[in-house]
Amino acid sequence: MIWILILNAAKLFLGLFAISLIYFAITPGQTLFDLLKYTALSAGVSMLFVLLYPRVKKVRKGDPVQISGAPFPFHFMGFGAIADSDASIGEEVKVKLGKGRVAIGIVESYEGLLSPPRIRIVFEEMVK
């Protein structure tokens, strides 16, 4: 997910930079300092995108999630869960745990850019 986010931020920066160059080229009286300001604005908006997008995006079906209380190394060895429904913080989300197990959990937090959202399991069942 992080690579997709970085790729989208890079695309956003390139698009904003292209708009800055076009505006610089067609507007009379622009200086190189103005172009530098437009470039800084493009970079700033792209950085905000990287920081704010996970909070706006929320948890969507198919996103990896981390179960609260699960040991940290086990999550990266394949013992995490996959969201099976959409949810935001404080809402219930259905997750697939593996080996046919399905659970209902509450989204506790968005951990950050490099780690998946954390959920607390409230109900688990075996599906055949």
Side-chain angles (χ1 to χ4, degrees), residues 1-14 49-50:
M1 179 180 141
I2 186 67
W3 295 111
I4 294 171
L5 186 62
I6 291 172
L7 181 64
N8 286 339
K11 288 178 186 178
L12 178 65
F13 174 75
L14 288 176
F49 171 79
V50 169

Side-chain angles (χ1 to χ4, degrees), residues 29-49:
Q30 297 291 318
T31 64
L32 286 177
F33 185 70
D34 292 330
L35 180 60
L36 182 63
K37 288 194 306 187
Y38 303 147
T39 304
L41 179 64
S42 300
V45 169
S46 299
M47 288 178 201
L48 280 176
F49 171 79

